[in-house]
Amino acid sequence: MAALVLLPIEVSDAGWLQDILKSSSKQGKSSKHATSPKPASSAKRASSAKPAASSTPHTVRVAALGPAALNAALKPAAPTCDPSKFRIVLDVGHTAKSEGALSARNVAEFDFNRRLAERIEEKLKGEGFAETRLLVTEGKARPSLVRRVAAANDLHANLFLSIHHDSVPDKFLENWEFEGKKSHFSDRFSGYSVFVSRGNPDFKTSLQFAELVAKEMKAEGLQYAQQYAQPIMGRDQHPLLNKETGVYSYDQLIVLKTTRMPAVLLEAGSIINRDEELKMDSPERRDIISSGVTAAVKEFCDPRWAILGAL
Ligand SMILES: [Zn+2]
């Protein structure tokens, strides 16, 4: 794998979240993600990106257009790209040292993230996106965030996609025993979710890609995690930008806000939910999600693919 291994830097891991969060409340789900301290602005409904195309009606409509109108209709919101030159950075969330959430069966989120990101990388490269870069960062949590953003910026990536798996705030955790070990789970929530930051310098394009990813997840038959729109989540509540597909804003996430290219974070599914953990652990689910992400990248790179790709 073309993993970009980054040097660890020694900064105390303890309390890293408190360092960067305004709130100093007990460690919860959001400890998985580092945020910068500026409070989120109020929810603002974002307009939907270009809708998905089922091939038939769009094909008919395209065929009825003259050359000028056709060009306009097919004009991508983002520049049409050459897949062989288009560089997407697949950021493996967390590090071997700071592994993120722990699954119901005590497997580190980092392992799930790495396996899924590697599968996405394979699929993208198989589709001609030869410049796809898997970003595996070493070291402790907080410095790793700065390093992964710097790496993506230095790579002059066209797109940044951070891969994560979801858990719940501590207050929802229940006890069970797995393989003789006291363990924690919550079967209350499940599903994927897609996050963007309105602080990203190219929020509009970030949202456009997020919409494509979420649309493809939904098209794969997956359901999004609805709890982030609910007050019960407390400070983990986030504005829902698209209630059909599950795109949320998470404005202060460092990897989404400080990257100099459009950036999206995918929570692929819950690993604290006992049933969903088993699914997320399967090659079949990794294939489904990888296919969805790959379709989203192809569509982002060339919106004509959405219309003509099925032909
Ligand atoms: Zn995570």
Side-chain angles (χ1 to χ4, degrees):
M1 291 300 155
L4 178 64
V5 178
L6 300 171
L7 294 172
I9 56 177
E10 296 302 320
V11 173
S12 170
D13 204 20
W16 64 271
L17 175 68
Q18 281 70 26
D19 287 347
I20 46 184
L21 277 179
K22 193 177 229 172
S23 163
S24 60
S25 59
K26 189 170 178 285
Q27 177 180 329
K29 185 263 159 188
S30 66
S31 66
K32 299 191 305 112
H33 297 133
T35 60
S36 54
K38 192 179 162 200
S41 56
S42 61
K44 191 173 99 183
R45 189 164 188 80
S47 60
S48 203
K50 187 172 177 165
S54 69
S55 57
T56 309
H58 284 82
T59 304
V60 169
R61 192 165 47 157
V62 166
L65 296 173
L70 183 63
N71 281 341
L74 298 180
K75 187 168 184 279
T80 304
C81 70
D82 175 352
S84 68
K85 296 193 174 74
F86 185 83
R87 181 169 292 167
I88 178 169
V89 166
L90 300 172
D91 171 47
V92 176
H94 309 280
T95 70
K97 202 167 199 170
S98 297
E99 298 178 308
L102 200 60
S103 79
R105 293 171 180 80
N106 306 304
V107 176
E109 181 196 344
F110 178 70
D111 285 354
F112 284 87
N113 297 343
R114 186 178 42 76
R115 283 180 289 164
L116 177 58
E118 286 174 353
R119 188 74 187 102
I120 295 171
E121 181 196 23
E122 269 177 20
K123 287 239 183 198
L124 281 168
K125 287 187 168 170
E127 292 288 340
F129 289 87
E131 286 293 306
T132 302
R133 293 286 185 273
L134 192 73
L135 182 59
V136 178
T137 311
E138 291 187 346
K140 296 175 179 177
R142 189 186 179 195
S144 86
L145 295 171
V146 177
R147 295 245 163 177
R148 70 185 72 221
V149 169
N153 289 342
D154 289 349
L155 281 165
H156 301 288
N158 301 100
L159 203 52
F160 180 92
L161 177 62
S162 192
I163 304 295
H164 288 256
H165 288 71
D166 216 352
S167 183
V168 294
D170 289 351
K171 66 180 178 181
F172 295 118
L173 291 175
E174 298 174 58
N175 297 321
W176 72 317
E177 201 169 281
F178 178 69
E179 293 182 342
K181 189 179 171 190
K182 188 185 171 192
S183 307
H184 301 288
F185 75 97
S186 173
D187 295 337
R188 184 167 176 164
F189 308 120
S190 62
Y192 72 86
S193 40
V194 183
F195 293 94
V196 287
S197 169
R198 288 173 292 196
N200 181 280
D202 193 350
F203 166 65
K204 190 179 164 194
T205 310
S206 302
L207 179 62
Q208 184 191 19
F209 181 56
E211 294 278 8
L212 292 172
V213 171
K215 183 197 74 173
E216 292 295 340
M217 293 298 116
K218 187 179 178 184
E220 296 284 0
L222 304 176
Q223 295 191 322
Y224 78 84
Q226 299 194 8
Q227 71 270 20
Y228 288 110
Q230 298 167 1
I232 195 173
M233 295 300 281
R235 65 188 175 88
D236 291 312
Q237 187 181 356
H238 298 292
L240 181 59
L241 303 182
N242 187 324
K243 64 179 168 53
E244 298 300 319
T245 58
V247 176
Y248 291 91
S249 72
Y250 196 160
D251 294 338
Q252 302 308 317
L253 266 184
I254 287 173
V255 294
L256 298 184
K257 185 182 172 185
T258 58
T259 35
R260 290 202 293 264
M261 72 288 305
V264 169
L265 186 145
L266 171 65
E267 291 279 4
S270 173
I271 53 172
I272 200 72
N273 178 308
R274 291 175 293 184
D275 282 346
E276 190 153 87
E277 180 192 3
L278 295 176
K279 290 174 187 158
M280 301 313 295
D281 193 35
S282 71
E284 291 76 19
R285 180 59 66 90
R286 281 195 290 277
D287 273 350
I288 285 171
I289 293 172
S290 303
S291 296
V293 169
T294 302
V297 173
K298 288 169 79 171
E299 232 176 291
F300 178 85
C301 194
D302 186 351
R304 288 173 299 184
W305 189 84
I307 300 169
L308 304 172
L311 296 177

